[in-house]
Amino acid sequence: MADIFVVVEHRQGEVREISLQALWKANELSKKMSAPITAVIMGGKDESFVNEIASRADKVLLFENDSLRNFTPDLYVGILQSLIQEHRPLITLVGHTPWGMDLGPSLSVRTGYPVATDCVDVLVDNGKPKAIRQVYSGKLFQKVSFKDSEGYLITLRAGAFPSERAGEYKGEVIRKDIPAGLPEARRQFVGFEESSAGGVDITQAELLVSVGRGICEQENVAVVQELADLMGGVLSCSRPVVDKNWLPKAHQVGTSGKSVKPKVYFALGISGAFQHVAGITGAGTIIAVNKDKKAPIFRVAHYGVVDDLFKVVEALKGKLKK
Ligand SMILES: Cc1cc2nc3c(=O)[nH]c(=O)nc-3n(C[C@H](O)[C@H](O)[C@H](O)COP(=O)(O)OP(=O)(O)OC[C@H]3O[C@@H](n4cnc5c(N)ncnc54)[C@H](O)[C@@H]3O)c2cc1C
């Protein structure tokens, strides 16, 4: 059986969580399809995460060159196109990130393989993949069948799968040269700048303290931020909080925000609209505080408190400060 390729994404010398999630999914597909996992790393010299990736794949194809240290789409597409034409992988998984949004469609055009983007799951049906995507703002799930092809390209949504190591692998690391004759890159990496949100990445947080419209006023954001700090958590929110400019967009959970997978999700004054809940399907324990006992958030919460959120916040702060 042909391989399952996983394109390993990295930034500033660190592997991105989405690639670990893609490898987790690749492990599951590999078992169902009896297809080995090949991780493809295009990076600078001596990237520190190569061994970590090798412990999650049957094989690592490693392209080491200073010109590959940062994402250079033209070069990366050229390398992947040549690899796909050489190895004919059955499935190629990439994160649905700026990398994947660039690589997925470009590779589809160049290889003729069909692509499904922003997928939250991949099923196997009669030996062929079927992709699951969310449509209508997460209200419905869509099962995507591909036209018959030798290989399929799939970009995966961040947070849709766990990041844990799923199998026992000791992948052989095979060093490869950049293929000769690639066209000159039209886009160059200029520099890396942290986002203005102070580098907040709610998709990586283990504890999220999340606020909704129920906090009523902007100044109450600081009240809950203090609780999040005391708990060692990160502040996230529902969309209305962003729409009102009380918190930057990087904090928003949901279909038009981020999918998150904290161990604990603490929802304060959030009603539980499906667009919000779709973003917390990967959360471990969900605890909700809402003064309306019929709020839909209680349908997905593992623990619920029907009360004024400010009473709960102050009580918790009092305990934590002791
Ligand atoms: C295309 C589209 C995309 C969207 N994407 C997203 C998205 O990504 N993320 C998202 O969150 N939403 C999204 N939405 C909006 C979504 O439909 C809801 O409107 C939104 O999630 C509601 O946010 P909320 O729960 O904070 O506010 P509300 O629905 O107004 O709920 C506020 C809750 O706070 C409770 N409350 C009020 N005061 C208190 C108090 N003192 N103590 C305790 N509880 C209190 C109320 O009982 C209520 O349940 C999207 C909508 C559309 C159309």
Side-chain angles (χ1 to χ4, degrees), residues 91-147:
I91 299 177
T92 300
L93 300 175
V94 197
H96 190 71
T97 59
W99 279 43
M101 288 182 220
D102 207 318
L103 297 176
S106 309
L107 286 170
S108 178
V109 169
R110 289 177 182 221
T111 60
Y113 286 5
V115 63
T117 56
D118 197 16
C119 301
V120 294
D121 206 356
V122 184
L123 312 177
V124 181
D125 188 6
N126 270 333
K128 270 182 63 177
K130 283 202 169 149
I132 305 294
R133 306 176 73 236
Q134 287 186 339
V135 287
Y136 299 116
S137 307
K139 198 170 186 181
L140 294 177
F141 288 90
Q142 178 186 59
K143 194 186 277 184
V144 180
S145 303
F146 295 95
K147 68 171 190 184

Side-chain angles (χ1 to χ4, degrees), residues 137 211-216 237-241 249 252-258 268-277 289-292 295-296 307-310:
S137 307
V211 290
R213 191 155 26 204
I215 60 158
C216 299
C237 64
S238 66
R239 179 162 156 170
V241 175
K249 176 87 177 160
Q252 186 191 318
V253 173
T255 52
S256 55
K258 302 249 172 76
L268 300 165
I270 293 176
S271 60
F274 69 85
Q275 291 97 341
H276 187 84
V277 168
V289 182
N290 197 303
K291 64 182 183 185
D292 175 8
D307 209 338
D308 185 304
L309 74 92
F310 298 105

Side-chain angles (χ1 to χ4, degrees), residues 182-195:
L182 291 185
E184 203 180 318
R186 289 163 301 164
R187 286 172 284 176
Q188 303 288 345
F189 176 81
V190 177
F192 180 81
E193 282 182 31
E194 284 288 354
S195 74

